């Protein structure tokens, strides 16, 4: 299948090219030229399929022309070595727990899938491909762990000195193998500038094959549709959907996760409405109210993975619905929450139900509590494990109440290996070449 650019100023490309390049030549985002619908009968018996089988059926609709079935099945099954279960929080509100992967956040799914698809496309390629990734914390850990041990690919993670938490740092500095961690004496923007400059540097590109593992890559964003189908299947299996409408709420920052849900809907997934849950970075909330899209610099919040002032995947939503505010606001309802709201929600839900939300999932939960009416069932995406935000969460429910999951504790025990560089490009370039 071909992939076109949302800016439509360049020719459509193959899946391989879209995955290797990430961004189109005209700086647009790649979109699949077709979205294939499932036969409605698929949903009658979807609850009899396990998660991996459902994901394979979804994957075939996008990647089936470009990757042979057997290989695609292997990639999907190898990606999904963990479950994405639905767990009841209150009567009609369910949590889709996306934190059972290696770094305890939903980005594991996309990062693991992309690593395996890239490896497949690069088979028989001479020499190594180098993935450069700048991170303020979570993306680096998902990408590093997703690509860990994948043949023919080396990952360089650049992160700002003193700006990531000890847990986050341990998740990409202790891996070894094909993962190199570089601490930059600067801020996140310096890391991002180094990576961007590297992609434009003629000599570097001649001597090394470089690519990014950015969240806008189609191989990272489309696989996120898998778990929406699984949520539907598991709720149906539990018998909670009988005649009820399904509402799905997505805590959103760059809007990749939500866009993948909308793709699921276009493939026929029976969802009645999607909710975009924002923190104080409420650009899309404002758009839904007014029809004006006004990007602005992000502000820091305690749900920091959603601190985005100009969500890149919004271009995909506009393209999907022909830039129609009317259509988009029929599909999507917006809610926004301040830090104070988020703390109150975590506290309330923990006291009433014993379920511990992370600051991102808290926005998803509350929007359902506000939105749902009679005859509706809601599921929100719990995008990370609360232990990844111990300080905030324990600040609400009390110290010592958030045990560190085994997986995170293991990272903390590992030996860190870090290269330290300044923020000048020449230093970074000679490091890469040397
Ligand atoms: C990345 C992230 C988000 C935001 O997801 P988008 O796809 O960028 O909208 C929400 N919560 C957590 C924990 C994240 O890591």
């Amino acid at each position: 299948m071909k992939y076109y650019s949302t800016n439509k100023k360049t020719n459509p490309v193959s899946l391989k090219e879209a995955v290797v390049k990430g961004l189109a030549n005209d700086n647009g985002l790649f979109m699949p030229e077709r979205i294939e619908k499932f036969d409605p009968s698929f949903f009658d018996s979807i609850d009899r399929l396990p998660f991996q089988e459902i994901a394979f059926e979804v994957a075939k609709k996008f990647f089936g022309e470009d990757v042979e079935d057997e290989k695609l099945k292997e990639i999907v099954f190898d990606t999904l070595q963990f479950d994405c279960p639905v767990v009841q929080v209150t009567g009609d509100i369910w949590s889709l727990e996306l934190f059972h992967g290696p770094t305890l956040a939903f980005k594991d799914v996309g990062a693991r899938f992309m690593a395996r698809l890239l490896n497949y496309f690069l088979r028989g390629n001479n020499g190594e491909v180098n993935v450069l990734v700048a991170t303020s914390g979570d993306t680096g850990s998902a990408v590093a762990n997703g690509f860990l041990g994948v043949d023919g690919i080396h990952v360089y993670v650049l992160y700002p000195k003193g700006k990531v938490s000890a847990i986050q740092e341990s998740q990409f500095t202790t891996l070894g193998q094909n993962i190199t961690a570089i601490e930059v004496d600067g801020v996140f923007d310096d890391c991002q500038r180094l990576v961007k400059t590297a992609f434009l540097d003629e000599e570097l590109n001649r001597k090394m094959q470089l690519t990014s593992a950015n969240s806008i890559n189609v191989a990272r964003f489309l696989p996120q549709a898998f778990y929406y189908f699984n949520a539907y299947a598991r709720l149906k299996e539990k018998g909670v959907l009988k005649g009820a409408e399904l509402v799905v709420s997505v805590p959103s920052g760059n809007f990749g996760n939500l866009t993948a849900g909308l793709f699921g809907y276009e493939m026929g997934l029976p969802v009645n409405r999607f909710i975009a849950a924002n923190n104080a970075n409420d650009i899309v909330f404002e758009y839904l109210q007014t029809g004006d899209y006004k990007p602005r610099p992000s502000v820091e919040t305690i749900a920091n993975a959603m601190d985005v002032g100009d969500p890149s995947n919004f271009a995909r939503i506009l393209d999907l619905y022909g830039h129609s505010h009317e259509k988009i606001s029929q599909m999507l309802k917006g809610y926004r929450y301040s830090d104070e709201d988020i703390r109150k929600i975590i506290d309330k839900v923990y006291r009433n139900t014993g379920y511990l939300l992370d600051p991102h999932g808290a926005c998803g939960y509350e929007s359902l509590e506000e939105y749902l009416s009679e005859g509706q069932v809601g599921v929100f995406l719990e995008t990370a494990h609360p232990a990844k935000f111990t300080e905030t969460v324990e600040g609400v429910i009390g110290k010592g109440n958030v045990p560190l999951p085994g997986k995170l504790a293991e990272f903390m025990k590992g030996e860190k290996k870090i290269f330290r560089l300044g923020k000048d490009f020449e230093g970074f370039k000679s490091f890469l070449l040397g």
Side-chain angles (χ1 to χ4, degrees), residues 201-422:
D201 189 86
E202 193 268 333
E203 187 192 359
L204 261 185
N205 282 274
R206 198 160 19 86
K207 295 187 171 160
M208 305 175 79
Q209 201 171 335
L210 300 178
T211 187
S212 81
N214 200 294
S215 68
I216 47 103
N217 197 297
V218 287
R220 267 191 68 186
F221 121 85
L222 281 174
Q224 294 170 169
F226 298 163
Y227 39 70
Y228 289 88
F229 287 82
N230 190 54
Y232 178 84
R234 304 290 72 94
L235 288 172
K236 184 170 159 69
E237 189 179 40
K238 290 178 194 296
V240 293
L241 286 180
K242 291 192 184 88
E245 290 178 349
L246 180 60
V247 178
V248 180
S249 177
V250 188
S252 295
N254 249 328
F255 279 75
N257 216 359
L258 179 58
T259 308
L262 295 173
F263 272 68
Y265 177 82
E266 297 302 318
M267 295 168 84
L269 184 68
V271 173
N272 184 260
R273 216 167 216 260
F274 285 90
I275 291 176
N278 279 152
N279 59 22
N281 296 279
D282 55 1
I283 294 85
V284 172
F285 173 84
E286 293 286 347
Y287 167 82
L288 291 169
Q289 309 298 309
T290 64
D292 291 328
Y293 182 72
K294 289 196 197 137
R296 55 170 200 266
S298 61
V299 295
E300 263 183 56
T301 78
I302 55 172
N304 57 14
M306 289 154 54
D307 294 350
V308 180
D310 186 6
S312 22
N313 283 287
F314 196 64
R316 286 192 163 115
I317 298 181
L318 288 172
D319 187 83
L320 195 58
Y321 295 106
H323 293 253
S324 160
H325 176 254
E326 193 189 332
K327 278 191 197 148
I328 294 172
S329 44
Q330 268 163 19
M331 278 308 303
L332 271 184
K333 167 96 177 136
Y335 285 91
R336 65 174 163 195
Y337 299 100
S338 68
D339 281 0
E340 197 192 337
D341 295 332
I342 292 172
R343 289 197 177 91
K344 279 187 186 148
I345 300 160
I346 294 173
D347 182 47
K348 170 184 75 179
V349 174
Y350 187 64
R351 271 190 291 110
N352 291 346
T353 71
Y355 194 86
L356 187 55
L357 295 162
D358 96 291
H360 307 79
C363 301
Y365 171 87
E366 188 70 6
S367 66
L368 288 173
E369 207 177 274
E370 288 192 54
Y371 179 81
L372 287 185
S373 57
E374 202 56 32
Q376 290 181 323
V377 169
V379 63
F380 65 95
L381 276 53
E382 180 45 293
T383 49
H385 192 289
K388 292 194 89 171
F389 306 92
T390 314
E391 226 167 90
T392 300
V393 176
E394 290 199 335
V396 176
I397 66 162
K399 269 223 163 316
N401 283 327
V402 186
L404 199 61
K407 277 183 213 153
L408 287 184
E410 279 306 310
F411 283 118
M412 296 297 273
K413 278 190 230 148
E415 195 192 329
K416 288 185 191 169
K417 184 148 196 259
I418 302 167
F419 293 91
R420 295 186 170 84
L421 293 179

Side-chain angles (χ1 to χ4, degrees), residues 135-138 159-166 168-169 172 183-191 300 304:
T135 186
S136 53
D138 273 353
Y159 67 101
K161 180 177 174 179
K163 296 280 192 301
V164 305
S165 73
Q168 286 174 326
E169 192 185 38
F172 48 78
E183 183 192 81
V184 174
D185 193 1
V187 294
F188 171 69
D189 292 338
D190 294 312
C191 300
E300 263 183 56
N304 57 14

Side-chain angles (χ1 to χ4, degrees), residues 136-168:
S136 53
D138 273 353
T139 299
S141 52
V143 169
N145 284 273
F147 282 75
L148 181 65
V150 175
D151 268 353
I153 303 177
H154 196 101
V155 176
Y156 294 88
V157 180
L158 284 77
Y159 67 101
K161 180 177 174 179
K163 296 280 192 301
V164 305
S165 73
I167 287 181
Q168 286 174 326

Side-chain angles (χ1 to χ4, degrees), residues 20-204:
V20 173
K21 293 184 69 170
L23 201 64
N25 283 338
D26 61 0
N27 279 329
L29 277 70
F30 286 118
M31 293 280 280
E33 63 179 359
R34 276 178 286 116
I35 300 179
E36 282 179 34
K37 273 205 188 313
F38 280 103
D39 191 278
S41 65
F42 174 69
F43 297 101
D44 293 339
S45 53
I46 190 172
D47 51 320
R48 279 182 240 144
L49 296 177
F51 180 27
Q52 286 91 341
E53 294 284 353
I54 293 172
F56 176 47
E57 293 305 318
V58 176
K60 273 196 277 189
K61 298 274 186 209
F62 290 111
F63 310 118
E65 283 175 19
D66 299 274
V67 186
E68 58 270 29
D69 275 8
E70 210 173 302
K71 187 66 206 178
L72 187 58
K73 188 165 187 171
E74 190 186 311
I75 292 173
V76 170
F77 277 57
D78 199 34
T79 296
L80 302 176
Q81 291 292 311
F82 47 89
D83 198 12
C84 297
V86 290
V87 173
Q88 189 171 30
V89 179
T90 60
D92 292 330
I93 303 182
W94 296 71
S95 168
L96 172 59
E97 293 187 344
L98 302 177
F99 55 72
H100 297 282
T103 74
L104 285 77
F106 80 88
K107 291 185 179 74
D108 284 330
V109 173
R112 288 172 65 83
F113 186 89
M114 179 182 168
R116 282 150 187 80
L117 192 64
L118 195 59
N119 166 267
Y120 166 77
F121 281 137
L122 298 172
R123 71 200 183 286
N125 206 354
N126 287 332
E128 227 175 23
V129 168
N130 300 281
V131 171
L132 306 183
V133 55
T135 186
S136 53
D138 273 353
T139 299
S141 52
V143 169
N145 284 273
F147 282 75
L148 181 65
V150 175
D151 268 353
I153 303 177
H154 196 101
V155 176
Y156 294 88
V157 180
L158 284 77
Y159 67 101
K161 180 177 174 179
K163 296 280 192 301
V164 305
S165 73
I167 287 181
Q168 286 174 326
E169 192 185 38
S170 72
Q171 287 182 307
F172 48 78
T173 56
T174 59
L175 299 169
Q177 297 184 52
N178 58 331
I179 311 298
T180 298
I182 301 174
E183 183 192 81
V184 174
D185 193 1
V187 294
F188 171 69
D189 292 338
D190 294 312
C191 300
Q192 193 148 35
R193 182 178 42 79
L194 289 176
V195 168
K196 285 187 174 168
T197 313
F199 288 129
L200 298 173
D201 189 86
E202 193 268 333
E203 187 192 359
L204 261 185

